[in-house]
């Protein structure tokens, strides 16, 4: 595609009702990539807590179901701590 960010307004509206599993506040827009998991996080909480509560797992650069982070190379998926350990095996 064009490399732009899509669906931001929809994600923000959806996130208003979702609590972050790290800080407990509403507005969590990033969920664990495991589709069965209900854990969600704010981007900043995910970045700060990486590995304690959730993990940013680097994936191949051509992975379309991933995202980039400012100041970090590569593409990532977010997993809660329990599912990240299964992915890294």
């Amino acid at each position: 595609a064009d490399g732009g960010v899509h669906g931001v307004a929809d994600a923000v509206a959806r996130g208003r009702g979702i609590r972050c599993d790290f800080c407990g506040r509403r507005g969590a827009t990033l969920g664990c990539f495991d589709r069965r998991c209900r854990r969600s996080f704010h981007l900043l909480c995910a970045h700060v807590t990486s590995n304690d509560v959730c993990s940013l797992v680097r994936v191949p650069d051509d992975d379309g179901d991933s995202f980039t982070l400012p100041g970090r190379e590569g593409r990532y998926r977010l997993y809660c701590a329990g599912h990240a350990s299964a992915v890294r095996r």
Side-chain angles (χ1 to χ4, degrees):
D2 64 13
V5 177
H6 301 279
V8 173
D10 291 339
V12 169
R14 183 181 136 276
R16 284 189 185 119
I18 300 173
R19 290 194 184 273
C20 176
D21 280 277
F22 175 69
C23 72
R25 292 186 173 165
R26 293 185 189 277
T29 56
L30 290 176
C32 176
F33 193 76
D34 186 302
R35 302 278 185 227
R36 299 163 296 175
C37 188
R38 307 284 295 169
R39 298 190 82 184
S40 294
F41 306 91
H42 296 108
L43 177 59
L44 183 58
C45 290
H47 191 68
V48 169
T49 67
S50 191
N51 295 324
D52 292 334
V53 178
C54 62
S55 290
L56 296 166
V57 177
R58 190 160 179 185
V59 296
D61 288 340
D62 61 353
D63 186 305
D65 290 330
S66 58
F67 54 90
T68 59
L69 293 167
R72 278 185 136 169
E73 278 191 40
R75 299 191 64 82
Y76 296 85
R77 287 183 181 173
L78 176 79
Y79 290 91
C80 70
H83 290 118
S85 62
V87 171
R88 289 190 168 147
R89 286 185 193 164

